[in-house]
Amino acid sequence: MKAVINNSEAKPEYIETYSMEDLNLKEGFCKIKVLYASLNPVDWKILSEDSAGKVIGCDAVGMIVEQGPGVEEILESNCVDVSKPVVMHINISSSFGAISEYTIANSHVLINVPEYLSAKQAAAVPCAGYTALQCIVKCGTEPNPDDMNNFLLINGASGGVGSFSILLAKQLGWTVIAVASTANKEYCVDELGADHFIDYRTENIVERVSEITNGDGCIAIIDNQSHRGMALLSLVSNNGFYVPVPGLWDKFKYDGLDLLVRGINICHVGLGAAAYSTKAPLTHTKRHLKHLCQLAKQFFYILGVPSSIARLTGSFKITEIEMADVPDIMHQMQSQHSTGKYVVRVSAEE
């Protein structure tokens, strides 16, 4: 079957002869016919010779074609209709990736694609969308109505996590300051709904935030880029929140005592909690998987209102590509910023 794998040189490679060996599905797992998958930065960040031969990708939408032991009960508890497409986030430590004609997924993380989205649109969501929601939750979900400072700054606002963060934050009542390049100003402000925009290339972020907030700073910052970490930390108001995307926060040094005195909360996020809990009891892993499922349901619930649906389906940028295009696009993603999400068409049949 067709798939995109990590080859022996730790590079993505499209092949048409990938073989998924006949196997007995483990308890709780399903075989999925993939309709669409999507690309995320983590897909190229984890490429290594140690994972040679593994299918790439962690986000997909597809149809359940085979169920392992115990799956029926799990799907019923999550109200999953097996005759309709399901959306999933596959742990990056899994032996089966998303960008192939078939994959294997844990049934605990499967939910049906909401009626207001197409399969292609839903495939863009899991990794970036759920991470964005985790970031918003760390910021307190909704701004405090008794606090005049409801500014949320999103650095790297035009990418996948940034775009979903804007949509979620606006729906929940935040005043959003988007930081990106001028080329993405119309996308972030006019299409996604950000209230303010800062071009990091031509404007001084610290000065502009001080101007926008009347010197109060931001009660919360979601940082998708590491190299401005120190400057951004200085913009967090007392008792505020700084949320770095995984893998970025440790690339700069900060004054722990200053943060303690100011009451600044550095909050980490990561969808891999279930993947990296293998040393814990099995129930611990299942709890994390169930949390991922609840996170998915919460994401689609928050954005399931007319105003957000319109932006998600009409404004959020999705670039559809073919499986054969994936290696070149992944190489491109390493060298330049992308806007929105790349979605891979695996099968046209729904």
Side-chain angles (χ1 to χ4, degrees):
M1 66 179 181
K2 299 176 183 178
V4 178
I5 66 165
N6 174 26
N7 67 20
S8 59
E9 298 178 354
K11 296 180 179 179
E13 179 181 348
Y14 168 67
I15 60 175
E16 297 186 352
T17 56
Y18 181 78
S19 176
M20 178 183 286
E21 298 180 359
D22 292 335
L23 48 80
N24 293 320
L25 288 172
K26 294 181 180 179
E27 182 176 354
F29 284 80
C30 297
K31 184 176 182 180
I32 307 291
K33 179 181 180 180
V34 179
L35 303 176
Y36 290 94
S38 67
L39 295 178
N40 296 282
V42 70
D43 295 329
W44 61 262
K45 289 179 180 179
I46 63 173
L47 292 178
S48 70
E49 295 180 359
D50 294 336
S51 58
K54 179 182 179 298
V55 174
I56 291 170
C58 56
D59 290 347
V61 165
M63 301 297 299
I64 298 171
V65 294
E66 189 176 344
Q67 301 178 24
V71 168
E72 184 176 357
E73 180 181 349
I74 296 171
L75 295 180
E76 286 181 357
S77 68
N78 287 334
C79 301
V80 175
D81 183 343
V82 297
S83 68
K84 297 180 179 179
V86 290
V87 57
M88 70 209 76
H89 175 72
I90 302 171
N91 287 323
I92 58 177
S93 63
S94 170
S95 300
F96 302 95
I99 311 178
S100 64
E101 292 182 281
Y102 292 90
T103 190
I104 304 296
N106 192 304
S107 57
H108 281 290
V109 302
L110 303 179
I111 66 170
N112 285 122
V113 173
E115 294 183 358
Y116 62 82
L117 289 181
S118 67
K120 179 171 73 173
Q121 291 166 335
V125 171
C127 188
Y130 305 166
T131 298
L133 179 55
Q134 283 189 322
C135 291
I136 296 292
V137 169
K138 295 290 185 177
C139 296
T141 308
E142 298 179 355
N144 185 342
D146 297 324
D147 192 341
M148 294 298 291
N149 186 342
N150 67 345
F151 289 101
L152 169 63
L153 183 144
I154 301 172
N155 186 38
S158 62
V161 175
S163 296
F164 284 125
S165 295
I166 294 175
L167 291 174
L168 290 165
K170 288 307 302 173
Q171 181 58 38
L172 293 169
W174 291 91
T175 298
V176 175
I177 302 174
V179 178
S181 64
T182 295
N184 291 307
K185 181 176 182 179
E186 181 179 348
Y187 174 65
C188 291
V189 177
D190 297 340
E191 298 184 32
L192 297 182
D195 301 280
H196 303 276
F197 185 87
I198 300 175
D199 179 359
Y200 67 89
R201 292 177 176 173
T202 62
E203 298 180 277
N204 184 300
I205 298 176
V206 174
E207 292 179 357
R208 283 284 289 121
V209 169
S210 180
E211 175 187 329
I212 293 169
T213 65
N214 293 318
D216 290 337
C218 300
I219 194 63
I221 291 178
I222 297 173
D223 187 6
N224 296 300
Q225 304 289 337
S226 63
H227 53 281
R228 304 183 194 95
M230 286 301 294
L232 293 180
L233 270 173
S234 71
L235 297 173
V236 181
S237 60
N238 291 352
N239 299 308
F241 303 88
Y242 174 74
V243 187
V245 172
L248 301 179
W249 66 274
D250 60 346
K251 294 184 179 180
F252 63 89
K253 302 296 182 181
Y254 51 84
D255 185 341
L257 179 59
D258 174 66
L259 299 182
L260 177 64
V261 171
R262 294 171 55 208
I264 305 302
N265 302 277
I266 296 183
C267 309
H268 302 142
V269 297
L271 296 180
Y276 297 113
S277 61
T278 53
K279 294 181 180 179
L282 182 61
T283 53
H284 183 61
T285 301
K286 286 183 178 179
R287 178 170 62 83
H288 279 83
L289 291 170
K290 290 179 180 178
H291 169 72
L292 187 60
C293 182
Q294 292 302 315
L295 198 67
K297 292 179 179 179
Q298 186 179 9
F299 176 92
F300 291 116
Y301 174 78
I302 293 173
L303 294 185
V305 297
S307 58
S308 292
I309 292 174
R311 291 190 184 279
L312 184 58
T313 59
S315 301
F316 186 92
K317 185 175 180 181
I318 292 177
T319 302
E320 182 178 331
I321 62 175
E322 300 295 328
M323 293 177 71
D325 300 326
V326 170
D328 288 339
I329 294 298
M330 287 185 66
H331 178 72
Q332 179 181 316
M333 289 172 67
Q334 295 180 52
S335 59
Q336 67 184 50
H337 299 299
S338 57
T339 302
K341 290 292 297 288
Y342 287 102
V343 173
V344 185
R345 179 179 175 272
V346 179
S347 172
E349 300 178 18
E350 296 190 27

